Amino acid sequence: MEFRLSPEEENLRKVVEDFVRDELIRLEAEFANAPDIFEGSRWKSRVKTSQDPEIMRYVDIMAGLEKEADAKGLWYLDVPKQYGGMQVSNVAMIAITEELEKTSVPFELGNHVSNILYTCKGEQIDKYLRPCIRGEKTSAFGLSEPASGADPSMMQTTAVPDGDEFIINGTKMFPTFADVADFVQLFARLPGTTGRDGVTCFLIDTGTPGYRVVRSIATIAGTEPCELIFEDCRVPKSQVLGEVGKGWALNQAWLGARRFQVGIRAHGKSQRVLRVVRELVRHEPKEAEQFAARIGHFLGEIEALRTLTYLGAWKADEKMDARSEAANVKLFATELLHRITDFALEVCGQSALRKNHVLARTFRHARATRIVEGPSEIQRHIIQRALFREGVGLLELQ
């Protein structure tokens, strides 16, 4: 295993390190009370319809940072070379995100196109993929349903072939910012299929007849996922992403790719939370002694999370099966961040319960990450399934 970066990637990491130190850290106080929607890159969808002067002020700050990052060659890092990007490795992207997570300013490099959109072909490339790369369009991910919960193999949304079209009927729950996205990546199943069979992914433009956003749902994490209804929504066969009936692999590819980023972000947030605790107790010898053992234990777990995340990214770069590592990272990272933040709240006491306190905000997001994009119980199921696929011999001491 080799986690070291190439000379070119190391130079890139150093540029990001300098950018974080010179441009982002100085803005931490400015973003301490920023609206919750400024988390990662998804805020770009929500602010499209905002007229709030305070929100627009932060948008202007972010726009300025984007221009500076672009000028330094930091904007199309994970975009394939054939589309004008740098196509850096998964390990390098983890190293770059690790630098970004050294600051609490929620800034990301690039528009972070949904990885499965690179499956686009023909006219789909200019209609969907390239506009997303340029930041001109945003998409939502329509997978979860009211009845299927966290198990997409139980989805009930159907796509019935009808000549050169498919007729789609069903309901989707919790796609983030679907009410302001330009299109949705929708998963539905062919008639007469069950489980993973027959699942197909469609690219459906907002405003397509039969596609309706019912409501947006305010959450404790500040995001506003939606409920979508499809009633006899006709979609041309040219809007199928990938192959008909092969959508399950796309679903898994999307979820797997995101989980290593979840890991390194949780790593950075965990470190920042412990720094808050350190600053609180460093001048109180009795409290410092009381909490030293737990803090030391958490620091060991944080380092273990970092190593596990890099391992998974390396296996992905080597085209190895990294599904188990992705599940391990998602589970370990989100559970660890939640435990550390819960501990920090106990140490800091009532003052940290204020809604805009850094620990209160982190706790809300930490709790949500244990559910979104695959809850902890699903990750445990994936890990258990992998264990018994390899055989119970893995449990024997050598």
Side-chain angles (χ1 to χ4, degrees):
M1 293 179 290
E2 180 58 82
F3 299 161
R4 285 185 298 182
L5 305 179
S6 69
E8 295 79 10
E9 291 172 335
E10 176 60 20
N11 287 336
L12 185 62
R13 187 202 62 77
K14 289 180 178 178
V15 174
V16 176
E17 180 182 34
D18 292 342
F19 180 80
V20 170
R21 183 188 63 244
D22 299 338
E23 304 298 339
L24 299 186
I25 289 180
R26 65 182 178 84
L27 292 171
E28 287 186 338
E30 182 79 25
F31 275 84
N33 295 310
D36 280 346
I37 67 170
F38 289 96
E39 288 291 333
S41 61
R42 292 184 176 183
W43 60 268
K44 296 176 182 178
S45 296
R46 173 61 60 212
V47 300
K48 283 182 178 180
T49 58
S50 176
Q51 300 297 320
D52 186 329
E54 182 69 358
I55 288 179
M56 299 315 296
R57 185 172 70 85
Y58 283 101
V59 170
D60 290 341
I61 294 173
M62 288 292 201
L65 291 172
E66 287 184 10
K67 289 181 180 179
E68 292 181 33
D70 194 13
K72 295 178 182 295
L74 298 176
W75 201 247
Y76 298 103
L77 302 179
D78 57 350
V79 176
K81 292 180 178 179
Q82 70 186 94
Y83 297 112
M86 298 181 67
Q87 196 173 337
V88 302
S89 67
N90 286 296
V91 168
M93 282 303 300
I94 293 299
I96 288 166
T97 305
E98 186 174 3
E99 294 299 330
L100 290 172
E101 284 300 322
K102 291 178 180 178
T103 174
S104 59
V105 176
F107 183 76
E108 295 185 345
L109 296 170
N111 294 313
H112 294 292
V113 177
S114 171
N115 64 315
I116 65 173
L117 283 180
Y118 291 113
T119 311
C120 283
K121 56 185 180 294
E123 295 180 353
Q124 295 175 349
I125 294 174
D126 289 326
K127 185 176 181 181
Y128 299 106
L129 177 56
R130 292 190 187 277
C132 284
I133 292 174
R134 295 191 295 264
E136 298 165 359
K137 285 187 175 183
T138 57
S139 65
F141 195 79
L143 181 65
S144 297
E145 298 183 1
S148 63
D151 185 359
S153 68
M154 296 175 63
M155 75 173 66
Q156 298 178 1
T157 299
T158 58
V160 179
D162 184 32
D164 292 330
E165 299 177 318
F166 284 89
I167 303 175
I168 297 178
N169 284 281
T171 301
K172 293 293 180 180
M173 290 294 292
F174 305 123
T176 305
F177 299 154
D179 55 334
V180 289
D182 296 285
F183 65 96
V184 61
Q185 302 162 76
L186 178 86
F187 289 83
R189 66 168 64 259
L190 301 178
T193 64
T194 59
R196 304 177 181 184
D197 296 332
V199 175
T200 304
C201 183
F202 299 87
L203 303 174
I204 305 180
D205 296 307
T206 299
T208 299
Y211 165 26
R212 182 162 54 94
V213 178
V214 179
R215 56 176 173 150
S216 60
I217 306 165
T219 70
I220 61 172
T223 57
E224 295 190 22
C226 300
E227 179 181 0
L228 310 180
I229 288 182
F230 297 84
E231 297 175 317
D232 294 332
C233 179
R234 289 184 169 271
V235 180
K237 288 184 176 179
S238 61
Q239 300 294 96
V240 170
L241 182 64
E243 299 180 42
V244 174
K246 303 295 183 181
W248 185 264
L250 293 178
N251 153 43
Q252 294 300 296
W254 184 83
L255 290 172
R258 295 184 63 86
R259 285 172 182 163
F260 297 125
Q261 287 293 316
V262 169
I264 205 62
R265 290 191 179 109
H267 171 269
K269 288 183 175 67
S270 295
Q271 288 185 314
R272 294 201 300 273
V273 167
L274 288 183
R275 282 200 292 271
V276 173
V277 175
R278 180 194 64 188
E279 292 304 311
L280 183 69
V281 304
R282 66 186 308 171
H283 301 300
E284 301 290 338
K286 289 185 178 180
E287 288 194 358
E289 182 178 354
Q290 177 184 355
F291 298 119
R294 291 186 70 182
I295 292 173
H297 184 79
F298 282 138
L299 289 172
E301 289 189 286
I302 289 173
E303 187 59 28
L305 170 60
R306 181 178 184 271
T307 302
L308 180 60
T309 303
Y310 271 95
L311 171 62
W314 173 80
K315 290 188 73 171
D317 282 333
E318 296 297 313
K319 309 301 181 186
M320 301 169 66
D321 185 353
R323 287 175 296 176
S324 182
E325 283 75 14
N328 271 296
V329 166
K330 176 64 166 60
L331 175 64
F332 186 26
T334 57
E335 296 276 330
L336 176 60
L337 175 59
H338 186 267
R339 285 190 287 112
I340 288 176
T341 310
D342 186 67
F343 161 73
L345 285 170
E346 290 182 14
V347 175
C348 294
Q350 290 186 353
S351 64
L353 297 180
R354 289 173 293 149
K355 185 175 181 180
N356 283 333
H357 192 281
V358 61
L359 293 182
R361 296 182 68 160
T362 303
F363 185 82
R364 294 198 303 272
H365 289 281
R367 188 61 187 90
T369 58
R370 290 173 57 196
I371 298 175
V372 299
E373 296 172 12
S376 293
E377 288 308 311
I378 291 296
Q379 307 314 313
R380 291 187 177 95
H381 175 70
I382 294 171
I383 295 165
Q384 175 190 5
R385 188 174 60 200
L387 173 66
F388 285 96
R389 184 170 59 240
E390 296 296 333
V392 293
L394 285 176
L395 296 175
E396 298 176 359
L397 295 176
Q398 299 298 321

